[in-house]
Amino acid sequence: DISQYLYENKSFKSKELHYDGIITEYKQLYTDTLKPTQKSLDIINSLVGTNTTTNIIGIQIRTGDKYMTGSDHQIFDDPETQIYELFLLIKSQQPSQQSYRVFITSDYVGCYAIATKVWNSGQIIYYDEVIEHIDKPTDKNNNIPTGIAKMYIDNYILSQCTSRLYISDYSNYGRIAGLSCKHGDVYDLYGTRVN
């Protein structure tokens, strides 16, 4: 967001240059700026496999800090029902004759269990680690984040390993995946293409 002010300089005064610069940086996020280590790649490959022709649908659902850190912030009043309905909607939008797997990530701990009610467990990819938030403590006793490995690996898979992506378009985490992904098939949770 701060970079927009650099483009107020008369030498750079162009919205096109600003947006092109932003998109270029996002597209290089996982290839130049935050390259995965071999350890991260090993985890990623163990989850998604090394077959690059596999069709993976990525789904990121932000329900609110209440379900992760216990704060008052919540987006979903009834995540069990709402996530289930979103999964059914997303499943209905996939071609029935096409085989695919689903990668899911969410700040709601019950997301995987809900997904198994919609897809068979062999279709679901889920990195089963402690759910993290970059600026919210997940270790309530020490009031510090426990790490960022899950956050990094989940976002990398969303953006670099999927062929279609469904994101919470109100979530910065989802937007990062959408802006840095290799394809243009990015939708909100209701199936509307995200610009």
Side-chain angles (χ1 to χ4, degrees), residues 8-127:
E8 293 297 322
N9 182 309
K10 291 176 187 172
S11 303
F12 299 111
K13 197 159 180 120
S14 166
K15 283 193 178 219
E16 290 76 28
L17 284 177
H18 176 241
Y19 292 121
D20 289 348
I22 295 284
I23 294 299
T24 298
E25 288 302 315
Y26 272 108
K27 293 302 181 193
Q28 296 173 356
L29 182 64
Y30 291 114
T31 58
D32 294 3
T33 310
L34 296 175
K35 290 182 188 178
T37 63
Q38 188 58 52
K39 183 176 180 180
S40 294
L41 284 174
D42 290 344
I43 294 169
I44 291 161
N45 290 335
S46 73
L47 292 165
V48 300
T50 55
N51 182 352
T52 56
T53 61
T54 302
N55 189 16
I56 299 174
I57 308 300
I59 305 171
Q60 176 264 337
I61 299 178
R62 174 95 163 99
T63 59
D65 295 343
K66 175 180 181 175
Y67 304 107
M68 183 172 47
T69 64
S71 77
D72 291 335
H73 178 253
Q74 73 182 54
I75 298 162
F76 285 34
D77 296 326
D78 180 8
E80 294 286 328
T81 302
Q82 290 169 284
I83 291 172
Y84 178 72
E85 290 170 355
L86 287 170
F87 283 162
L88 287 175
L89 178 64
I90 291 168
K91 182 178 183 177
S92 74
Q93 296 171 357
Q94 308 313 309
S96 59
Q97 71 280 8
Q98 188 178 42
S99 69
Y100 64 92
R101 294 188 298 155
V102 179
F103 173 73
I104 57 169
T105 184
S106 177
D107 54 2
Y108 186 69
V109 73
C111 197
Y112 175 80
I114 298 167
T116 61
K117 297 174 184 175
V118 177
W119 293 280
N120 71 57
S121 61
Q123 276 184 282
I124 303 168
I125 304 166
Y126 180 72
Y127 187 34

